[in-house]
Amino acid sequence: MEWKQVIKINYPQLFFVFAAFFLMVLVSYISISAIVQRRLSQSVDEVMLTAEANIRAGLSEAEASMNHVGRTVRAMLDGGASQKEVLDYLTDTNRRMQRNDTWLFGFHGIYGYLRDEFIDSIGLEPGPEFIPQTRPWFDAAVRNTGETSVHTEPYVDALTGDIILTAVRNIHGASGEYYGILAIDMDTAWFRNYARSPRVGNGSYYIVLNQYMAMVGHPGDEVIGRQLHDICDGYREIYDRLMTRREISSLRIEDRDGSSAIVSFKRMYNGWYVGVVTPSGIYYQDVYDTAAILSLLGFILMSILSYILLRLSAAKMRSDEENRSKSSFLARMSHEIRTPMNAILGLSELAQREYGKPKALEYITGIRSAGAGLLTIINDILDFSRIEAGNLPLHPAPYQTASLLNDVLTILRMRMSEKSLKLIVAVSPELPGSLLGDAGRGKQILLNLLSNAVKYTDEGFIRFSASGEAEGEDSIRLTFTVEDSGIGIKKEDLPKLFGEFTRIDEKRNSAIEGTGLGLIIARSLCQAMGGDITVTSEYGKGSVFTATLTQRVADRKPMGDMTRVMARREQPHSASFTAPEAEVLIVDDFTSNLLVAEGLLIPYKMRVFTCLNGREAVERVRERSFDLVFMDHMMPEMDGVEATRVIRAMKEERCRTLPIIALTANAVSGMREMFLENGFNDFLSKPIEVTKLDTVLEKWIPAGKRRDAP
């Protein structure tokens, strides 16, 4: 019997086999390719994060040195030091820094332009043709209005002829007078060498851009310092994307040599950009390999099945019995083929459905929770290491007393939401409205004590009280008491409570997470602030922790009755209207405060946007027309008063009439008038009273956008 005849008779079956395996390979390829490309993208993101961390570490060295030298020079100039004394100090500093071989970037030297004179501490010995005002470092300092450090674009060093990068900052005296400029030169060779090192694949390289889109790091020395869009068409496409999106993920471009490449970019903490460029062939190599393996397996399986099918067909022609056997065998084979095919197709569809859906989010939530727990442990260990090294940093700054207490109690309420506990708050209204100290460390102490109370109390109450006692003219001794009705502490365990890595009653508390470092860290922080933590407890009935610390007084005006305001805020209240078309912006530097404000606005069904500082708020207002802005007062980078002034100064008419409401814990007498004088339209104090919130919204949300509440 000829095989041509067998093939002709079984042509429909062969076509089905070819089609079935082609479909199986195609669907599998699409599913697996999506997974592979997602992992490739994640790998590139990890590489860019690593690069940013390394660059940040290197720049931080220069910034730390600049800050130290800047403070010293300012103190010398305030003290009337001569130019020669400053020159001698900078020259000696250069010698010491050049002997330090731990610099990540090459250190070239530190010099300055102070009191209208170039301080030649690097041995440049400039001639009359040297004009500091024409140098890139001078131009960068002029463009930098503040006292923070900025970096120039890469340029040729007048002393060595090397391509360098300079960190500069302006120096102002204690009275605000302008002294001049300090500059630190760094070698860019590290950037060029580092640009050749990403672990993505052979032929890949980094690109590092500064905030002006000038090339800082690239394997090609000839492009260092040039503008990105001037190098080639592919880089111009990168420039256009970054100017509109600020980040790029897996963009295909034509590289400088004409080859196809895949690029990803992200913006760094200082406004610079780091990117990874990978040849397309290398980037998609895993995808190509996957396709080749699937195709080969499909071809082998298809060939085997086709051969079996043809042999069975030939046997059928020999006898009816063999034909019946062949039919039975084909039926079984059809089932066996469809089973893995259905599994492949079904699992692919399930994977597509699960991606981004609740089950996947459940996994991600688990990872996030574990990561948050690990981060807490790491932070505790780092703080404990600093304590053991005698280097526990405190950063004093003015802060609002009510704001600190409100933030702590807001977080506490979130943590208490899973338990039926009653919170009793007793805060003295006579506490000063503004204090000077490390507010972040103060929150850390209180949150540790309050979180422990929540952990070890399943029912009953938690009582928090705060009071103060004057110490001298400008200091106050704060006393915080946290009492709970929890499990208590055995008398013999009390001496162990502040031990290192110690957890008491381990058998009973085995299900409660923790490192055993929280209390010793909190106590060390109190002691660093001139106080301490003491504890009394009765096993089975509860515990009382008392923390004391000393703070400077910035404003003696009493902060007011915070307990009464919080009690009013907790009273139930219904929204008097809804406004689905209204858009509201909330600005606050504390995430928990944003969550609380968002929650209080839910009944009004408005579209709510949030940001964490005044500078970001200005950008949001510039980009979008809001109906109302709730603006916090004390924030980093740009506070609420300054942000409001900037918004009011914008040329758009809507910015001058935009309702801006001061949302702040600074509710002492006279503050409302201060806010109104600085461009605010109204005032709402924290903790937020829902009745006052409703009044403010009804007053300032446009009537055309308000709807009757259901």
Side-chain angles (χ1 to χ4, degrees), residues 25-40 284 286-288 290-291 294:
V25 170
L26 179 62
V27 172
S28 300
Y29 169 73
I30 293 173
S31 301
I32 297 176
S33 294
I35 296 172
V36 171
Q37 290 190 41
R38 187 161 58 249
R39 289 181 178 175
L40 286 171
Y284 292 115
D286 289 341
V287 178
Y288 298 151
T290 300
L294 288 173

Side-chain angles (χ1 to χ4, degrees), residues 585-656:
L585 175 65
I586 308 173
V587 189
D588 199 300
D589 63 326
F590 202 61
T591 306
S592 296
N593 287 343
L594 293 176
L595 292 174
V596 170
E598 283 186 278
L600 294 176
L601 291 176
I602 287 176
Y604 297 91
K605 300 183 180 179
M606 296 182 287
R607 297 185 65 190
V608 179
F609 300 80
T610 62
C611 58
L612 292 167
N613 58 67
R615 193 177 306 280
E616 188 178 348
V618 170
E619 293 299 321
R620 286 292 189 94
V621 171
R622 183 179 286 116
E623 297 168 357
R624 197 176 192 95
S625 296
F626 292 100
D627 297 289
L628 186 66
V629 175
F630 287 107
M631 183 78 72
D632 190 20
H633 181 198
M634 306 297 289
M635 294 182 291
E637 295 192 33
M638 181 185 288
D639 66 19
V641 173
E642 185 179 355
T644 301
R645 289 174 182 166
V646 173
I647 292 172
R648 296 303 188 207
M650 292 181 183
K651 60 182 180 180
E652 294 88 349
E653 177 63 26
R654 62 179 176 82
C655 296
R656 291 190 286 273

Side-chain angles (χ1 to χ4, degrees), residues 563-595:
T563 307
R564 178 175 54 84
V565 173
M566 292 187 68
R568 287 207 306 268
R569 192 194 75 172
E570 293 173 354
Q571 295 175 359
H573 178 79
S574 300
S576 61
F577 66 92
T578 62
E581 299 175 359
E583 295 188 352
V584 175
L585 175 65
I586 308 173
V587 189
D588 199 300
D589 63 326
F590 202 61
T591 306
S592 296
N593 287 343
L594 293 176
L595 292 174

